[in-house]
Amino acid sequence: MIPILKVKDVLLSSIPGDLTDNEVLEYQSQMLKMLEKTEAIGVLIDITGMEIVDSFMARVINETANMAQIMGAEVVLCGMQPMVALTLVEMGRELIGVQLSLIHI
């Protein structure tokens, strides 16, 4: 279980790099339930711990962000490693609807 913290009107979470597909789907479900429960207006997802992103993970992050936006929250993704960005570009994956933070934590 990935902790999701609420700070004022924002949900914060940090995704570790070693998740199974089932854990990624559980994270998505947790995030959306927490968003519904708290009515947060922002979601910050830190992926600093992820050195590799496969197409499934990219798709789930994208879907989670899109669902959160439909629920009224703005989504910011931070901590993307250069190799992760390169992999996403090479796979042709776009993180549509996700704001990317230029600040590396």
Side-chain angles (χ1 to χ4, degrees):
M1 177 181 252
I2 299 171
I4 301 172
L5 305 173
K6 182 177 185 278
V7 178
K8 296 192 179 186
D9 289 338
V10 178
L11 298 180
L12 309 170
S13 68
S14 182
I15 301 177
D18 56 349
L19 294 179
T20 66
D21 289 353
N22 287 334
E23 290 171 327
V24 172
L25 292 174
E26 179 61 31
Y27 167 75
Q28 181 184 54
S29 177
Q30 280 178 272
M31 177 58 79
L32 296 173
K33 285 177 186 174
M34 185 85 159
L35 188 58
E36 178 184 28
K37 179 181 173 183
T38 65
E39 297 181 358
I41 61 170
V43 174
L44 179 88
I45 302 172
D46 177 21
I47 62 169
T48 303
M50 299 177 68
E51 295 181 18
I52 299 172
V53 173
D54 62 14
S55 60
F56 181 75
M57 175 62 88
R59 183 174 59 89
V60 171
I61 290 172
N62 192 38
E63 288 175 353
T64 304
N66 287 330
M67 290 181 220
Q69 285 185 320
I70 289 170
M71 295 173 74
E74 186 174 334
V75 180
V76 176
L77 185 67
C78 68
M80 185 178 298
Q81 303 289 336
M83 289 307 295
V84 171
L86 180 63
T87 301
L88 292 174
V89 169
E90 287 177 350
M91 286 189 304
R93 300 296 299 189
E94 291 183 56
L95 296 175
I96 300 167
V98 179
Q99 291 189 24
L100 301 175
S101 170
L102 299 177
I103 300 172
H104 181 74
I105 298 173

